[in-house]
Amino acid sequence: MWIAADAGGVAALKDLLREQGLAPHATWLVARGEDDGEIVARAWDLTAVRAAHEEFVGRFGAVRADSDEAAFVLRTRLVHAWRGTFERDPRLPRQLLPPDWPGFASTKLFIDTWRGLRVPADRHWRRLARDPRA
């Protein structure tokens, strides 16, 4: 997928795709006063992205760590889950998303939770990384 706010390079890109034999596989979407919501719906499955964000918030919204080790494990799980959620999200501008978009809450949750776990998780990691022969 290639998205550009400036259509100035479209002719060159079309030429390149023709030269490489890829033109039959290209789909062009050009916005000219069209409904942004319709274009977004054709390009991305926001229902699935919404579900991923809501699942992330449901899973990590109330978690706490009561030890350095628990913080380390929780941070590892948090980052792994966030990568899966983040990769699904096209990170569209706010004006192209529904007003109740859960991606904003899940992003804030990820950042706040990660920051809260950083010190105890790093402390546990340093203990694990310490050479027992030293």
Side-chain angles (χ1 to χ4, degrees):
M1 177 181 290
W2 179 62
I3 299 175
D6 176 12
V10 170
L13 183 59
K14 285 184 177 184
D15 289 342
L16 177 63
L17 290 173
R18 262 192 303 281
E19 289 170 13
Q20 298 298 315
L22 298 172
H25 306 287
T27 301
W28 298 91
L29 300 172
V30 178
R32 290 193 177 96
E34 297 172 30
D35 177 21
D36 290 339
E38 182 181 325
I39 293 170
V40 167
R42 286 175 31 198
W44 294 283
D45 182 359
L46 290 186
T47 301
V49 177
R50 173 185 289 279
H53 281 296
E54 289 172 346
E55 180 182 330
F56 183 86
V57 170
R59 183 174 173 192
F60 293 99
V63 296
R64 300 294 172 259
D66 58 359
S67 68
D68 292 355
E69 180 179 5
F72 177 79
V73 170
L74 179 55
R75 182 175 69 174
T76 302
R77 290 181 176 155
L78 176 86
V79 170
H80 179 70
W82 181 247
R83 285 181 179 145
T85 303
F86 186 83
E87 288 173 358
R88 293 179 186 162
D89 192 331
R91 315 307 282 183
L92 296 170
R94 186 178 292 269
Q95 60 267 29
L96 295 178
L97 295 166
D100 63 339
W101 186 244
F104 305 121
S106 68
T107 299
K108 181 175 180 351
L109 173 64
F110 170 75
I111 292 168
D112 292 348
T113 305
W114 188 93
R115 285 180 176 160
L117 296 169
R118 185 179 63 81
V119 171
D122 286 352
R123 194 169 37 234
H124 182 70
W125 174 249
R126 282 191 301 277
R127 277 197 299 272
L128 289 175
R130 200 175 303 137
D131 187 343
R133 298 168 293 179

